[in-house]
């Protein structure tokens, strides 16, 4: 898949608008300051390094996060309708966790986690358009994301910490201690981690289907699909020019201009 410069800018506007709409207090501005500081990098990040995963293309990360926010709100509504105790977390905690669940994929303050793959064989045979940046010290995605938040003075609640830490569910063995327990007092006291995991899993699966099911059916090309659902958006006016104007790097500006 491939996003246009206009779609990348529109997705970024929605991303920022979700912070402005759902996050309250002093940390709203702290979060806005953080994301605006790293806007150029984050708005063009892929969500994964391999095509076989999901959203491995420029702008894929923000598109994925926006979808997780939408799916999380819808999942929360479903859980509430089916009788879950929705008093154990707030909508702000849900959206904060969704916005920041994969933040660790950005790398550190100086280096990106995903950089263009320079091995042609791995690009062609393994579908790796990106590779991991060896300059970035290893940390799991949840651990690095939580570190980045606290390093930039962005507070988070216990519920948010638990949801971000366990958003990969039992696909990550590190979450066994939280999610595979048998004593009632050891189980999470809120459904938030499960709702976020389901929203992330749903989003990644949908993104996989959009990329791969047409190819598996023998279709030669996949047309970009516009999102029909938005929680909030800003008026659209000359979005490609806006996208180009927000980028300082000439190389990235050239990339956007070619989309």
């Amino acid at each position: 898949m491939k996003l246009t410069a206009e779609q990348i800018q529109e997705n970024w506007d929605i991303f920022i608008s979700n912070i402005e709409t759902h996050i309250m207090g002093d940390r709203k501005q702290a979060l806005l300051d953080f994301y605006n500081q790293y806007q150029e990098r984050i708005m063009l990040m892929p969500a994964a390094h391999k095509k076989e995963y999901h959203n491995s293309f420029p702008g894929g990360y923000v598109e994925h996060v926006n979808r997780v926010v939408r799916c999380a709100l819808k999942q929360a509504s479903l859980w509430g309708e089916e009788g879950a105790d929705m008093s154990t977390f707030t909508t702000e905690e849900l959206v904060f966790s969704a916005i920041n669940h994969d933040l660790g994929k950005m790398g550190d303050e100086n280096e990106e986690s995903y950089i263009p793959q320079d091995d042609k064989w791995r690009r062609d045979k393994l579908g790796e358009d990106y590779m991991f940046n060896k300059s970035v010290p290893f940390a799991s995605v949840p651990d690095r994301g939580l570190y980045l938040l606290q390093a930039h003075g962005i507070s988070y609640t216990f519920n948010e910490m638990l949801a971000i830490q366990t958003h990969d569910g039992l696909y990550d063995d590190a979450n066994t201690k939280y999610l595979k327990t048998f004593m009632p007092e050891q189980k999470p006291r809120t459904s938030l981690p499960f709702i976020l995991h389901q929203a992330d899993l749903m989003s990644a699966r949908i993104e996989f289907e959009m990329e791969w099911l047409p190819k598996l059916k023998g279709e030669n090309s996949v047309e970009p699909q516009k999102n029909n659902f938005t929680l909030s958006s800003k008026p659209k006016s000359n979005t490609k020019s806006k996208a180009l104007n927000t980028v300082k790097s000439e190389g990235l500006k050239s990339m956007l201009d070619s989309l």
Side-chain angles (χ1 to χ4, degrees):
M1 285 196 54
K2 180 179 177 181
L3 297 178
T4 65
E6 290 88 350
Q7 288 172 315
I8 289 173
Q9 181 64 54
E10 288 164 14
N11 285 339
W12 180 257
D13 289 345
I14 293 169
F15 179 85
I16 293 299
S17 186
N18 283 334
I19 296 174
E20 293 173 337
T21 301
H22 295 284
I23 309 304
M24 305 300 166
D26 294 339
R27 69 175 183 168
K28 174 193 287 190
Q29 191 57 53
L31 205 57
L32 289 170
D33 290 344
F34 173 81
Y35 279 111
N36 285 326
Q37 179 180 352
Y38 296 102
Q39 173 183 352
E40 188 172 305
R41 185 198 304 188
I42 293 172
M43 73 186 299
L44 292 173
M45 275 171 49
H49 76 291
K50 289 187 69 171
K51 293 176 181 175
E52 285 77 6
Y53 295 163
H54 65 106
N55 276 26
S56 180
F57 49 78
Y61 174 84
V62 172
E63 185 189 62
H64 170 70
V65 170
N66 289 347
R67 182 173 284 109
V68 173
V69 171
R70 292 196 304 273
C71 290
L73 289 167
K74 293 171 184 176
Q75 286 286 352
S77 178
L78 176 61
W79 278 64
E81 290 172 6
E82 291 300 324
D85 184 351
M86 306 306 285
S87 70
T88 61
F89 65 94
T90 66
T91 299
E92 179 176 354
E93 287 180 315
L94 176 65
V95 175
F96 181 95
S97 302
I99 288 171
N100 297 294
H101 77 283
D102 268 347
L103 175 59
K105 290 183 177 181
M106 75 164 270
D108 59 26
E109 287 89 343
N110 301 310
E111 299 279 351
E112 302 177 52
S113 277
Y114 300 139
I115 57 177
Q117 176 60 261
D118 58 11
D119 186 322
K120 185 177 184 300
W121 185 87
R122 298 190 72 87
R123 283 199 312 270
D124 295 344
K125 302 300 183 183
L126 301 180
E128 295 180 1
D129 287 338
Y130 298 87
M131 62 182 180
F132 292 106
N133 186 350
K134 295 178 182 178
S135 298
V136 178
F138 172 77
S140 71
V141 169
D143 287 347
R144 191 185 304 283
L146 291 168
Y147 167 77
L148 286 167
L149 289 171
Q150 63 85 25
H152 289 265
I154 301 167
S155 62
Y156 46 83
T157 67
F158 181 85
N159 277 349
E160 291 162 348
M161 180 275 293
L162 185 61
I164 292 171
Q165 191 74 55
T166 63
H167 75 267
D168 280 326
L170 289 173
Y171 287 98
D172 184 344
D173 290 340
N175 296 331
T176 299
K177 59 184 178 290
Y178 290 111
L179 303 179
K180 198 174 181 181
T181 59
F182 303 98
M183 300 297 290
E185 61 270 20
Q186 293 180 325
K187 294 180 182 293
R189 307 288 173 96
T190 173
S191 296
L192 177 58
F194 305 100
I195 293 171
L196 180 61
H197 171 57
Q198 290 180 354
D200 186 36
L201 183 65
M202 179 180 181
S203 299
R205 173 62 195 186
I206 289 169
E207 289 154 10
F208 170 82
E209 290 188 0
M210 290 168 66
E211 175 76 22
W212 284 98
L213 289 191
K215 296 177 182 178
L216 294 174
K217 292 175 182 176
E219 299 175 13
N220 293 324
S221 62
V222 181
E223 290 296 324
Q225 298 186 30
K226 285 191 70 73
N227 296 327
N228 293 320
F229 307 102
T230 58
L231 293 173
S232 52
S233 60
K234 298 180 179 179
K236 302 173 185 178
S237 60
N238 203 3
T239 51
K240 185 166 185 175
S241 295
K242 184 177 179 182
L244 292 172
N245 289 336
T246 60
V247 175
K248 299 182 181 67
S249 165
E250 289 302 320
L252 292 177
K253 188 175 292 188
S254 177
M255 178 191 295
L256 271 176
D257 194 33
S258 67
L259 292 176

